[in-house]
Amino acid sequence: MHFQHSKALTFGMELELQIVDDATGRLSPSSAALWRELEVLPEHERFSLEATQSTIEVTTSVHEDADAMEDEARELVRTVKQIARRQSADLRGGGTHILQFWNEHEFTETERAAELHAKYGFLPKRFSTYGMHVHVGVPGKEEAIQVANVLQSLCPLFIALSAASPFQQGVDTGFCAARPLEPLVYPYGGPMPRVENWAAFEKVAQEIFDSGLAKSLKDIYWDVRPKPEFGTVEVRVFDTPLSVRKAVSLAAFTRACAALALQGELGYAATPIPYNTERVSRFMACRDGMDAHLFNPAVGEWMPARKWFNRLVERMLQQPLCDADARRIRSLHKLMAEEQDSDIMRDTWGDIVNRSPAMAHWVPGPREYAFNSREHCARLLA
């Protein structure tokens, strides 16, 4: 498996965005209509279709500076929003939609979607949630394993930081981040197994390919995975944030974590990790977000998510960082001390329900869902 070398610690991100109908606030299966206008643009390669029709993906180019990444991401999102609005739709962030019913999703008319449907049946519709992926450049394949192992160990914290999927099927799930539960149902979903080197990674990958369920690494839905064709390590576990600004801050934080890993300053405690501890920690992050008690494998201890995050930020700010990254990390640190995205989503919906008529058997309708959706659409470029 050839590994394409890239410049260390360059980075980029992908945002899977919800397409919503402006009149009803529901998910809108209109990605094909958007794509007809996007594919003729000079920057068309920055956009892509997903398996189902209520999603459009926006992908930045490779960056060394977080400010430049945000400028590009904002312009790309603004472009799609303008097209969507001409079609009585809009775009928003969040890891799931409050009225997300898998049986209402429609597959896109692409070879990839047809292949997934044939292989996994209804699962791609169920898995059609909204995530952010961050790619970080590494100089070689052994460094890719070094960084991937460390970033995988940080995934419970990444989930907590980005938690933005408290609702599905019209109800509160009881989780701050319900979306990261979905890949666990796949035979090759969830945490990437820890491996010693690239040869061991290739062996694991080949065993998966031999099953016939995967032909390449893109068919393996791990939280973290090397991307040899790009020369990167990809973190896939984030919910799509409610704002582009927060998305870029999370990307800068991820890059700083990768830098610590490359420098050998972030790893694992020498003591063995108790059975299933990291999987339990991942679950707790999904359920409780930044209020979770998580297992920090760098020190081999359970601790509050905020304490773990604060320790990492303190270490990062002691390192040489570009001004843009330092500002983003400080901004993220301040933001996470306040209200996380899942709280904003719950509070927004709670305010709408509390303002609604106090009638027996009252149920929310298009007016309420449309208002809720517009609130989140406005946050995307705030």
Side-chain angles (χ1 to χ4, degrees):
M1 194 182 300
H2 176 69
F3 191 91
Q4 179 67 44
H5 299 281
S6 64
K7 186 173 181 180
L9 302 178
T10 51
F11 69 144
M13 69 178 183
E14 304 162 1
L15 293 174
E16 296 168 347
L17 298 172
Q18 302 177 26
I19 309 171
V20 290
D21 182 275
D22 185 61
T24 66
R26 300 180 73 95
L27 290 169
S28 173
S30 54
S31 62
L34 298 184
W35 182 248
R36 283 193 288 273
E37 294 196 46
L38 290 170
E39 67 178 340
V40 300
L41 299 177
E43 66 273 26
H44 66 88
E45 73 280 358
R46 304 266 69 94
F47 309 101
S48 59
L49 298 171
E50 287 293 303
T52 57
Q53 295 185 31
S54 55
T55 311
I56 198 77
E57 184 174 84
V58 173
T59 304
T60 71
S61 52
V62 179
H63 288 279
E64 297 185 41
D65 179 88
D67 287 344
M69 177 187 281
E70 180 169 347
D71 289 345
E72 182 189 27
R74 283 181 172 277
E75 187 57 35
L76 293 172
V77 170
R78 192 175 292 114
T79 295
V80 193
K81 268 183 165 285
Q82 289 170 349
I83 293 172
R85 285 168 177 162
R86 292 198 293 268
Q87 301 178 17
S88 301
D90 207 341
L91 297 185
R92 52 159 292 187
T96 56
H97 187 279
I98 192 169
L99 292 179
Q100 185 157 327
F101 297 88
W102 72 261
N103 59 307
E104 294 181 356
H105 282 308
E106 299 178 26
F107 282 113
T108 54
E109 295 182 2
T110 62
E111 290 184 11
R112 175 67 173 165
E115 177 186 353
L116 290 173
H117 186 205
K119 190 182 297 183
Y120 293 118
F122 80 103
L123 291 182
K125 287 188 177 183
R126 176 174 157 174
F127 189 37
S128 189
T129 51
Y130 303 87
M132 177 180 82
H133 303 166
V134 178
H135 288 259
V136 181
V138 290
K141 55 191 178 183
E142 298 303 335
E143 291 89 346
I145 298 303
Q146 177 183 350
V147 171
N149 282 334
V150 172
L151 294 183
Q152 178 60 62
S153 76
L154 292 168
C155 278
L157 184 58
F158 290 155
I159 290 170
L161 287 166
S162 66
S165 49
F167 295 108
Q168 283 203 57
Q169 300 187 32
V171 298
D172 192 315
T173 64
F175 284 74
C176 293
R179 186 201 65 85
L181 300 173
E182 295 297 337
L184 298 179
V185 75
Y186 282 86
Y188 304 117
M192 171 185 157
R194 192 168 298 152
V195 293
E196 291 296 321
N197 50 43
W198 186 258
F201 174 79
E202 286 189 307
K203 183 176 184 296
V204 171
Q206 188 58 54
E207 289 170 351
I208 294 173
F209 300 153
D210 290 344
S211 74
L213 283 174
K215 296 187 296 186
S216 69
L217 293 179
K218 75 176 182 179
D219 298 323
I220 301 174
Y221 304 130
W222 287 333
D223 297 341
V224 174
R225 65 187 182 193
K227 290 288 283 184
E229 65 270 37
F230 297 151
T232 66
V233 172
E234 178 187 16
V235 180
R236 302 166 41 80
V237 79
F238 299 104
D239 281 355
T240 296
L242 293 179
S243 71
V244 169
R245 184 181 305 278
K246 182 176 178 181
V248 174
S249 294
L250 284 168
F253 177 75
T254 306
R255 175 164 72 157
C257 290
L260 290 173
L262 272 178
Q263 296 160 12
E265 296 188 19
L266 196 57
Y268 316 101
T271 55
I273 296 173
Y275 168 73
N276 225 28
T277 295
E278 290 181 293
R279 195 175 183 91
V280 172
S281 183
R282 187 187 191 280
F283 173 87
M284 302 299 276
C286 289
R287 193 187 68 184
D288 299 332
M290 287 302 287
D291 293 326
H293 213 67
L294 303 178
F295 185 77
N296 180 350
V299 295
E301 295 177 6
W302 289 90
M303 63 177 58
R306 297 182 192 281
K307 181 177 180 180
W308 189 3
F309 178 53
N310 291 342
R311 284 185 176 184
L312 275 173
V313 168
E314 184 178 350
R315 290 183 67 181
M316 289 170 182
L317 295 178
Q318 293 172 352
Q319 305 295 316
L321 294 170
C322 67
D323 289 344
D325 276 21
R327 276 189 282 106
R328 303 298 167 152
I329 291 167
R330 289 191 181 97
S331 173
L332 182 65
H333 188 244
K334 180 181 178 182
L335 181 66
M336 299 318 298
E338 300 166 356
E339 200 173 34
Q340 60 185 3
D341 281 357
S342 58
D343 294 329
I344 292 171
M345 296 170 80
R346 283 178 166 133
D347 289 347
T348 300
W349 185 242
D351 288 345
I352 292 169
V353 171
N354 290 336
R355 291 199 302 267
S356 300
M359 298 185 300
H361 310 300
W362 174 85
V363 294
R367 180 175 175 273
E368 287 76 24
Y369 288 117
F371 186 84
N372 181 67
S373 184
R374 288 170 191 151
E375 289 283 292
H376 295 310
C377 288
R379 289 187 173 98
L380 188 56
L381 290 176

